[in-house]
């Protein structure tokens, strides 16, 4: 794709980021949430013209780049302080989420098995990315993929608003809130946005926790592929598919954490990198806001939304209670 095609949309992202920063400083609102609101207003107001779409759709690239650079502000020592505990919580919450969604889908609401599995994957790992990855392994129908993806996006939009409010009302510590958002929200963008809206520390823990969830996407895809293959309804995923779906920015993030732990970056360089990833997040969240379209969310099936809502309430309460006890 030529740079010329990307330029108009990139200009809009930059202008949105600058406007979000200015509004945030003037009004006292968190600039990352303002960036999402501006993107939402564009998508649901005048709409996003076709000529802007290629550039605006690069927002996932800027989110990944920001996460990579954020690794420079962390050290292995800081991560390992509660890292093992967080990993155990992540594994437990993923397992609980999958079981709850599958049981509700199949035994309570009578959804098709493939649709329930797509909802479980999206809620337990990394939102729409997990839906798409698992869909390829279990041969889900296009309409099932659409329902599952729309349901995940609906709750991404809801949790962006609700989580900071609940965290503030309960007076959660930065670490507890960050890990809670990281283990129970769905997609990476909303998790990072909500975490940093709460505080810098919460944002770091939310991002690290979410990355550990994302890295387990291959395990979940293999598990579902094996199950459906035994039922005669799925296929074996290739190494290429698993690598294609693996979030590569996790590797870059780890590399910069290692470099920071080795003392490679000076305080001035760390400050510059922090400023850079904050701006990259602003660009990403303007684009993220354009993905929340009311017209598409209205097409979400009622039953899949109820399944995910009940699951989210149960898993959020369970994970929060567990984290408050542990931390």
């Amino acid at each position: 794709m030529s740079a010329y095609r990307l330029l108009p949309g990139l200009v809009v992202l930059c202008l949105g980021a600058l406007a979000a920063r200015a509004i945030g400083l003037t009004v006292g609102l968190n600039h990352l949430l303002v960036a999402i609101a501006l993107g939402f207003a564009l998508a649901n107001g005048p709409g996003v013209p076709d000529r802007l779409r290629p550039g605006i759709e690069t927002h996932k690239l800027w989110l990944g780049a920001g996460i990579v650079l954020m690794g420079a502000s962390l050290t292995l020592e800081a991560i390992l302080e509660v890292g093992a505990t967080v990993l155990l919580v992540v594994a437990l919450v993923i397992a609980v989420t999958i079981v709850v969604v599958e049981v509700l889908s199949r035994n309570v609401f009578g959804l098709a098995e493939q649709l329930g599995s797509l909802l479980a994957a999206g809620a337990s790992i990394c939102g729409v990315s997990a839906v798409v990855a698992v869909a390829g392994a279990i041969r889900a129908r296009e309409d099932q993929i659409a329902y599952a993806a729309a349901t995940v996006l609906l709750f991404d939009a809801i949790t962006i608003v609700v989580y900071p409010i609940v965290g503030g009302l309960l007076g959660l510590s930065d670490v507890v809130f960050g890990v809670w958002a990281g283990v129970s929200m769905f997609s990476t963008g909303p998790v990072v946005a909500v975490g940093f809206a709460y505080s810098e520390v919460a944002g770091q823990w939310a991002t690290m926790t979410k990355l550990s969830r994302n890295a387990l996407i291959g395990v979940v895809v293999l598990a579902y592929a094996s199950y459906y293959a035994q039922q005669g309804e799925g296929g074996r995923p290739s190494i290429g598919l698993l690598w294609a779906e693996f979030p590569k920015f996790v590797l870059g993030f780890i590399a910069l954490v290692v470099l920071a732990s080795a003392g490679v970056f000076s305080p001035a360089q760390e400050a510059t990198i922090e400023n850079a990833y904050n701006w990259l997040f602003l660009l990403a969240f303007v684009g993220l806001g354009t993905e929340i379209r009311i017209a598409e969310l209205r097409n979400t099936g009622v039953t899949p939304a109820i399944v995910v809502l009940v699951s989210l309430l149960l898993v959020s309460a369970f994970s929060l209670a567990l984290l408050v006890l542990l931390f």
Side-chain angles (χ1 to χ4, degrees):
M1 185 178 294
S2 67
Y4 177 78
R5 287 193 63 199
L6 297 177
L7 186 59
L10 290 175
V11 170
V12 170
L13 290 183
C14 291
L15 291 175
L18 290 169
R21 192 64 176 263
I23 293 171
L25 292 173
T26 304
V27 183
L29 296 174
N30 182 271
H31 55 283
L32 296 177
L33 297 183
V34 173
I36 294 175
L38 291 176
F40 175 84
L42 172 62
N44 295 279
V48 180
D50 290 340
R51 70 179 183 281
L52 300 182
R53 292 187 185 279
I56 288 178
E57 287 174 355
T58 63
H59 67 87
K60 293 180 181 179
L61 173 64
W62 309 127
L63 176 64
I67 290 173
V68 169
L69 291 182
M70 199 192 79
S73 64
L74 301 167
T75 63
L76 290 173
E77 182 181 0
I79 294 173
L80 293 175
E81 282 182 10
V82 289
T85 303
V86 169
L87 288 177
L88 288 174
V89 171
V90 166
L92 179 60
V93 172
I94 287 175
V96 169
T97 303
I98 291 174
V99 170
V100 169
V101 175
E102 290 283 6
V103 169
L104 288 173
S105 299
R106 301 180 187 210
N107 301 331
V108 179
F109 292 94
L111 294 177
E113 285 192 353
Q114 282 91 345
L115 178 55
S117 297
L118 295 181
L119 293 172
S124 65
I125 300 293
C126 52
V128 174
S129 297
V131 169
V132 174
V134 170
I138 69 174
R139 296 178 182 171
R141 300 195 312 267
E142 289 294 327
D143 62 316
Q144 293 172 333
I145 298 171
Y147 271 123
T151 303
V152 166
L153 292 173
L154 171 65
F155 285 95
D156 280 344
I158 292 171
T159 51
I160 282 175
V161 176
V162 172
Y163 265 61
I165 294 173
V166 173
L169 290 174
L170 296 179
L172 300 179
S173 70
D174 294 338
V175 173
V176 168
F177 180 84
V179 177
W180 179 49
V183 297
S184 57
M185 290 177 65
F186 297 165
S187 302
T188 303
V191 168
V192 176
V194 162
F196 279 99
Y198 199 77
S199 74
E200 183 76 17
V201 173
Q204 292 175 347
W205 279 105
T207 304
M208 287 189 293
T209 304
K210 190 67 177 69
L211 292 183
S212 65
R213 275 174 73 193
N214 292 357
L216 293 174
I217 188 172
V219 175
V220 172
V221 171
L222 284 173
Y224 271 116
S226 299
Y227 171 79
Y228 279 91
Q230 291 174 4
Q231 307 299 313
E233 299 174 1
R236 296 186 180 277
S238 65
I239 297 297
L241 171 63
L242 295 177
W243 175 247
E245 296 299 335
F246 182 81
K248 314 298 189 303
F249 54 78
V250 172
L251 302 178
F253 172 82
I254 293 172
L256 261 73
V257 169
V258 171
L259 292 174
S261 301
V264 171
F265 305 113
S266 68
Q269 289 173 326
E270 289 180 356
T272 300
I273 292 173
E274 180 178 347
N275 185 54
Y277 75 68
N278 281 326
W279 279 105
L280 286 171
F281 285 157
L282 273 174
L283 291 174
F285 294 151
V286 173
L288 174 65
T290 66
E291 298 289 333
I292 306 172
R293 302 183 184 96
I294 294 176
E296 292 183 6
L297 297 181
R298 286 175 181 159
N299 295 328
T300 304
V302 175
T303 304
I306 293 173
V307 169
V308 175
L309 173 61
V310 174
S311 169
L312 179 63
L313 292 174
L314 291 174
V315 172
S316 293
F318 166 72
S319 58
L320 181 56
L322 182 62
L323 291 168
V324 169
L325 287 174
L326 291 174
F327 296 104

